[in-house]
Amino acid sequence: MKRRTFLQQVGWVLAALGVSETGLSIMGAKSWAMPLAEPDYQALAQPSARKLALLVGINQYPRIAPLGGCVTDVELQRELLIHRFGFNPSDILALTDQQATRENIENAFMEHLCQQAREGDVVVFHFSGYGSCVVSTAENSPLQNSLVPVDGIGLTQPTGNYLLEETLFLLLRSLKTHQVTTILDTSYIDTGTAIPSHLRIRSCPEISAEQISADELAFQEKLTQKFGISRSQIKNFQMPGIVLQASAPTQTATEAPWGGFSAGLFTYALTQNLWQSTDKTTIQMTLNRAAVVVEQLAGKEQQPQLSGEKSQEKSLLGYNLNPDTTTGADGFVIAVEDSGKTAQLWLAGLPTRVLPYYGVNSLLTLLVSPATDANSKPLQLQIRTRDGLTARARIIGADTLETAKLQVGQLVQESVRVLPRHLGLTVALDSRLDRIERVDATSAFASVGCVSSVVTTGEQPADYVFGKGQGKSQKEEAPNIDPTVTPTSKPIETGYGLFLLGGEPIFNTIGEASEAVKSAVNRLTYKLRTLLAVKLWRLSVNDTSSSLGVMATLEMISPQEQVLMQRKTLRSPFITQGAINQQPEQPGIPTLPIGSRIQFRVQNYSSSPVYFILLGIDSSSGALAFYPLVSAPESDTSEVKSLLKDTIIAPGETLTIPRPAASYEWFIQGVSGLAEVFVICSRAPFTQTIAALAAMSLKGERERIGDLFNPLDVAQAVLQDLHQASGIVPEIIGTSSDIYALDVNAWATLSFVYQVG
């Protein structure tokens, strides 16, 4: 038997058991050493360039409140490593729940990673679970963060059987390779329940250094002696390789229910973006995109971080590896059934905001190997049912020979996105509201058409939280505030309002303390319609799956000239390496000072004209739009059609917004906070969208950026225009009038998120 065949068969057997060979030793022994380290076996099992991973996820802590998404985090990482980065399943060791004791984690690190990794190998260590902070009474002694294993909380306090940050440093330092990535989806600061949060925080109360278990300290001392690392080196350490953290050290890391499963905000956003990575995608680009998702949900109290000795390298790729294919993927085939006619799919590569609404009859295309006949038609899989991250699909339009091409492990890319037409917001009620308040709120929201359901915090997916706020709120400003004037703030009393899932209040939604629940809900109706419009726009974002050849660039003109962000369609055959001046990704979400001037450049690299529309939400949670026309009080269809030429970009052309000849400039206004702008391009004109804008009967300049007073009407018109541009025949999706069927190659929505401050 050939060496490669032998290793593959051993790997398959161990993968079926769910553990690696190292994992078998750890579960049955408590020593560092193991017979697998015998020279002959080690020489046989050690490839020239190996990829090793240790994944730890703990939901079921026996003496503290359980978590819900840590085991899912491990699954997300495992499937990503195997199917996008080419890890052998037998080289991935997962320790979950009761397996993840402190001793098992540390032994696994030594045996599976330290003893096997060689120079040039790739190592990934992931931890999802509780974290804590260790404080010392000694003078000038710094705080020390720690990971909480499943046995971290002793039967009798005050024992902390934690894995200390210094220990993790020693373990990482002992690796023989520098190609190491550490992902920590945990936090160390316990904030309590002072805010109306829908998210579960992954941190425990702090403990004193005197409470740390003697076994952990002994293990740490053994490491310092074994690897010759002095205590002074540890005190000023920087973690080897790169470290991806769910939040800053003084912030919280959170998890949320997503619809059929729970997962860490950071891990889910990170792995989803890595599914879409190409051979040019740096880890900084991936982290920035993940940070946008996290901050839009959790607010500024959770901002993912990149650190470590290699964190300043500009061209560093995700997990130090190129993905196995040159284009991104949205999932892969888990199982093949019914003689190759149906398949089970894993869809963790779909956008996190889209997956919960990914409807029946959505289409995905099966990626085939380069050896496949180039003239053969790609197989398409149509979703029949979906449960969380998995779906069951059937092959359509294929004969018996073609169905034989369907194999476990093959990647899929979305082709047609089916979304329900009648979408609403889901509002979670703050658990601190009393019973009467919850009853009144449920009754009041039932009469708000843009709210589809009301849930209890933490139990089901939600868009926003309704609760009581405290502190200060920015003063509401007039629409045309002088950009040079700094907004003032005023103290407010406790009142009802809307919050992000992490508890951050949405601007101008907190009412007075004396306001009744029903009055508050009525007051918030217009804001809810605006937020629903933004939700619909976000559901159209498809830059990772569209092949429409477009790119947009956000530039700051003053107080200094600077390219802030570029977004392009990643699967376009028209956008080649030589055709685009790719700008380096700047760390973090870019910040634009109030009063700064910006512009967008939209480039059409396709062979056909494209139409565009620009919409967004400013930092004050107000909708805005680019108005390409002067609206008459009664705009008829012929007038709208005649003005559509103002929204077209010819092949090879670049359009600047505002145009150089425009009589206005785009200044950043509002208050400190996140803003988001959507550049939406389509092969067909935005007839209904332009009509919805014209219905506002605005007077003034022919072209301008201004407030949008009917955002929900415009959002629905956009989706209807994209639905018509897609032209999906009823034979494929049925005759239902309750869905939008969107061909991802017929349009491209590019999202730009920036901080105003």
Side-chain angles (χ1 to χ4, degrees):
M1 184 181 298
K2 292 184 178 180
R3 175 178 177 274
R4 179 178 177 86
T5 303
F6 169 75
L7 290 174
Q8 286 179 338
Q9 291 184 358
V10 171
W12 291 335
V13 171
L14 293 168
L17 295 174
V19 295
S20 71
E21 63 271 21
T22 305
L24 294 176
S25 72
I26 292 171
M27 295 304 105
K30 293 190 176 183
S31 67
W32 284 9
M34 164 67 188
L36 67 85
E38 294 175 0
D40 292 342
Y41 182 87
Q42 194 174 32
L44 178 66
Q46 182 64 46
S48 58
R50 200 172 186 184
K51 293 174 266 193
L52 299 163
L54 172 59
L55 313 177
V56 180
I58 309 168
N59 285 340
Q60 300 302 318
Y61 285 87
R63 298 174 188 92
I64 49 179
L67 295 170
C70 300
V71 174
T72 303
D73 289 356
V74 168
E75 294 172 356
L76 289 167
Q77 289 283 17
R78 175 183 166 82
E79 304 300 354
L80 172 77
L81 294 176
I82 294 172
H83 297 284
R84 282 296 277 147
F85 291 103
F87 278 63
N88 189 318
S90 64
D91 286 331
I92 301 174
L93 172 59
L95 298 179
T96 59
D97 287 339
Q98 297 309 309
Q99 299 171 338
T101 64
R102 180 194 59 79
E103 189 174 10
N104 279 349
I105 295 171
E106 292 171 342
N107 287 348
F109 205 110
M110 293 297 301
E111 295 179 2
H112 185 64
L113 301 181
C114 296
Q115 292 184 5
Q116 297 191 91
R118 298 294 180 262
E119 181 62 38
D121 288 352
V122 172
V123 169
V124 173
F125 172 70
H126 176 102
F127 179 86
S128 284
Y130 279 118
S132 183
C133 182
V134 179
V135 296
S136 176
T137 57
E139 186 177 357
N140 298 323
S141 180
L143 301 176
Q144 183 174 178
N145 298 325
S146 60
L147 310 180
V148 180
V150 69
D151 60 344
I153 308 297
L155 281 172
T156 59
Q157 295 293 342
T159 301
N161 194 31
Y162 293 173
L163 195 163
L164 298 174
E165 189 175 45
E166 290 181 353
T167 304
L168 180 59
F169 163 75
L170 290 166
L171 289 168
L172 292 169
R173 181 65 71 189
S174 66
L175 292 167
K176 297 182 179 67
T177 178
H178 299 286
Q179 305 292 96
V180 56
T181 302
T182 301
I183 305 100
L184 302 176
D185 200 340
T186 187
S187 55
Y188 316 106
I189 304 299
D190 184 22
T191 60
T193 57
I195 56 176
S197 176
H198 186 67
L199 307 176
R200 185 172 294 161
I201 296 174
R202 293 179 171 179
S203 55
C204 293
E206 64 183 33
I207 64 172
S208 68
E210 290 74 17
Q211 295 174 251
I212 295 300
S213 70
D215 290 340
E216 168 65 2
L217 296 175
F219 178 82
Q220 189 180 106
E221 181 63 26
K222 191 172 184 178
L223 284 177
T224 60
Q225 295 176 1
K226 182 178 180 67
F227 300 109
I229 299 175
S230 67
R231 302 298 302 180
S232 60
Q233 286 179 293
I234 298 178
K235 289 182 179 179
N236 299 308
F237 69 84
Q238 187 176 19
M239 289 289 188
I242 60 172
V243 180
L244 302 172
Q245 293 177 285
S247 62
T250 58
Q251 296 178 331
T252 56
T254 57
E255 62 179 29
W258 293 92
F261 67 100
S262 292
L265 264 63
F266 177 61
T267 298
Y268 187 20
L270 175 69
T271 55
Q272 187 274 320
N273 279 281
L274 284 170
W275 272 96
Q276 306 300 335
S277 61
T278 68
D279 56 356
K280 301 297 187 297
T281 306
T282 66
I283 191 61
Q284 184 65 70
M285 296 167 62
T286 301
L287 184 67
N288 283 359
R289 286 177 169 251
V292 166
V293 175
V294 172
E295 194 163 341
Q296 285 183 326
L297 292 169
K300 61 180 178 296
E301 292 305 315
Q302 183 175 351
Q303 298 174 318
Q305 305 289 308
L306 173 63
S307 61
E309 292 177 344
K310 297 180 65 176
S311 60
Q312 300 304 313
E313 295 185 15
K314 300 298 183 183
S315 59
L316 201 64
L317 300 173
Y319 296 169
N320 294 289
L321 292 168
N322 272 319
D324 271 5
T325 58
T326 57
T327 60
D330 298 300
F332 72 97
V333 177
I334 300 174
V336 178
E337 303 168 340
D338 192 19
S339 301
K341 296 178 182 178
T342 62
Q344 292 185 40
L345 305 177
W346 175 264
L347 298 178
L350 288 173
T352 55
R353 294 183 183 277
V354 172
L355 180 63
Y357 305 99
Y358 211 66
V360 170
N361 290 330
S362 294
L363 293 180
L364 298 106
T365 300
L366 190 73
L367 288 184
V368 294
S369 66
T372 305
D373 182 4
N375 297 319
S376 63
K377 185 178 180 181
L379 290 179
Q380 286 198 311
L381 301 171
Q382 188 168 50
I383 301 295
R384 305 311 301 157
T385 61
R386 187 185 60 79
D387 181 15
L389 289 162
T390 62
R392 188 178 299 274
R394 65 181 177 90
I395 292 181
I396 62 172
D399 56 29
T400 304
L401 292 177
E402 289 177 318
T403 58
K405 301 176 185 177
L406 186 63
Q407 298 178 10
V408 172
Q410 286 181 299
L411 302 178
V412 295
Q413 293 179 337
E414 75 163 329
S415 176
V416 174
R417 184 179 297 180
V418 174
L419 301 171
R421 281 183 182 266
H422 305 294
L423 272 176
L425 293 173
T426 298
V427 176
L429 301 182
D430 182 6
S431 59
R432 299 177 306 165
L433 297 176
D434 61 35
R435 187 182 67 83
I436 298 299
E437 289 174 310
R438 292 196 297 270
V439 170
D440 288 346
T442 302
S443 174
F445 280 119
S447 62
V448 179
C450 59
V451 174
S452 57
S453 59
V454 177
V455 300
T456 302
T457 51
E459 294 183 355
Q460 300 174 35
D463 297 299
Y464 300 97
V465 177
F466 176 80
K468 289 184 176 181
Q470 298 179 4
K472 292 185 177 181
S473 173
Q474 292 291 333
K475 181 180 179 182
E476 185 169 4
E477 305 290 350
N480 296 320
I481 181 178
D482 183 346
T484 64
V485 176
T486 302
T488 59
S489 62
K490 61 176 183 178
I492 62 167
E493 296 177 288
T494 302
Y496 299 108
L498 293 173
F499 300 81
L500 297 180
L501 299 185
E504 185 174 317
I506 296 174
F507 184 78
N508 281 335
T509 66
I510 308 298
E512 301 296 331
S514 59
E515 186 179 30
V517 170
K518 292 186 177 180
S519 298
V521 172
N522 291 335
R523 172 177 55 82
L524 295 170
T525 298
Y526 177 77
K527 182 68 70 176
L528 290 165
R529 289 175 60 84
T530 299
L531 295 174
L532 177 56
V534 176
K535 177 178 179 176
L536 297 182
W537 292 333
R538 287 172 177 165
L539 288 177
S540 75
V541 173
N542 69 331
D543 56 317
T544 59
S545 59
S546 176
S547 66
L548 188 66
V550 295
M551 183 179 78
T553 306
L554 171 60
E555 303 172 351
M556 182 165 61
I557 306 303
S558 66
Q560 64 183 35
E561 294 187 2
Q562 182 182 355
V563 174
L564 299 171
M565 280 186 286
Q566 282 186 343
R567 293 289 181 262
K568 66 179 184 292
T569 48
L570 299 183
R571 298 176 188 171
S572 169
F574 302 102
I575 300 181
T576 63
Q577 179 63 25
I580 288 184
N581 179 22
Q582 178 68 46
Q583 296 292 332
E585 193 85 2
Q586 299 299 317
I589 299 174
T591 298
L592 294 175
I594 295 173
S596 58
R597 185 160 65 93
I598 64 170
Q599 68 179 19
F600 282 87
R601 293 185 186 273
V602 186
Q603 298 166 276
N604 177 11
Y605 283 96
S606 71
S607 58
S608 304
V610 297
Y611 297 81
F612 81 95
I613 199 74
L614 189 149
L615 303 160
I617 183 169
D618 62 24
S619 58
S620 302
S621 301
L624 55 84
F626 167 72
Y627 294 97
L629 55 91
V630 175
S631 302
E634 295 180 0
S635 298
D636 59 15
T637 304
S638 61
E639 179 191 0
V640 170
K641 289 182 177 179
S642 70
L643 292 166
L644 287 172
K645 60 183 176 64
D646 289 334
T647 66
I648 194 170
I649 309 175
E653 288 192 356
T654 298
L655 181 70
T656 302
I657 307 171
R659 303 173 200 259
S663 60
Y664 73 98
E665 296 176 326
W666 190 346
F667 286 98
I668 296 297
Q669 302 178 3
V671 298
S672 297
L674 284 183
E676 184 171 13
V677 174
F678 304 90
V679 177
I680 309 176
C681 300
S682 173
R683 299 187 189 276
F686 289 93
T687 307
Q688 296 197 39
T689 305
I690 296 297
L693 290 172
M696 293 177 57
S697 301
L698 294 173
K699 304 292 184 179
E701 298 294 334
R702 178 172 179 79
E703 178 183 301
R704 70 186 185 90
I705 301 292
D707 298 315
L708 180 59
F709 300 111
N710 60 343
L712 185 53
D713 295 338
V714 171
Q716 292 168 340
V718 167
L719 291 179
Q720 181 59 31
D721 280 331
L722 299 181
H723 172 82
Q724 293 177 342
S726 300
I728 309 298
V729 297
E731 289 78 9
I732 300 292
I733 59 170
T735 58
S736 174
S737 60
D738 294 331
I739 61 169
Y740 297 110
L742 312 178
D743 182 343
V744 296
N745 298 317
W747 97 97
T749 297
L750 312 177
S751 170
F752 293 82
V753 177
Y754 54 87
Q755 182 80 32
V756 174

